[in-house]
Amino acid sequence: MCFRSRRRRLFCMGPILYLDYDGVLHPSDVRITKAEPLRPRIYQNGRPTDRLLFENAPLLACILEAFPEVRISLATSWVRILGYEFAVQQLPPALRARVVGTIWQGSMLRFPPAAET
């Protein structure tokens, strides 16, 4: 039986994948700079590269096709630093459609995520 509380609704939804971006969908060394605050870049050996972000996203989308009940909660610092909407929009449509909220350092799971001010 599902209860009305937000937290209880999450448990009634089925399995949730807590997804980090850095080190999962692309290499872990991703940085933003003051000069390009909305352009995260992959770094290698301390230097920026032109390597594409989210290179592993199509693979994750393909794997999840076999599990249509799985939803995604963003567990990435991208939400805290760049904002929830920006972070969601970076995902391909197949993954974006599965996102149900976010969780990150210092916060509880938010469902739906709180509006940014």
Side-chain angles (χ1 to χ4, degrees):
M1 175 177 172
C2 293
F3 297 96
R4 290 186 174 216
S5 75
R6 286 185 230 169
R7 186 175 290 162
R8 295 286 182 194
R9 276 189 285 166
L10 280 175
F11 293 114
C12 297
M13 292 174 56
I16 296 178
L17 170 69
Y18 293 92
L19 180 62
D20 193 356
Y21 291 177
D22 305 333
V24 177
L25 298 181
H26 48 246
S28 60
D29 192 0
V30 175
R31 307 176 195 180
I32 57 172
T33 63
K34 288 182 182 180
E36 298 178 301
L38 292 178
R39 185 171 184 240
R41 295 181 73 181
I42 296 171
Y43 277 64
Q44 189 169 7
N45 298 323
R47 296 182 180 196
T49 69
D50 288 326
R51 192 167 168 183
L52 292 177
L53 293 163
F54 300 94
E55 64 189 1
N56 297 325
L59 176 59
L60 178 59
C62 182
I63 291 168
L64 289 178
E65 283 179 8
F67 305 95
E69 71 282 2
V70 173
R71 300 293 172 252
I72 295 173
S73 178
L74 300 181
T76 175
S77 61
W78 286 53
V79 172
R80 183 174 41 87
I81 295 168
L82 298 166
Y84 176 79
E85 291 299 326
F86 182 88
V88 171
Q89 290 304 312
Q90 304 314 299
L91 295 171
L95 295 179
R96 194 179 313 144
R98 293 173 178 264
V99 175
V100 294
T102 182
I103 184 170
W104 48 273
Q105 184 180 7
S107 292
M108 295 295 291
L109 182 63
R110 296 180 184 206
F111 179 80
E116 295 183 16
T117 56

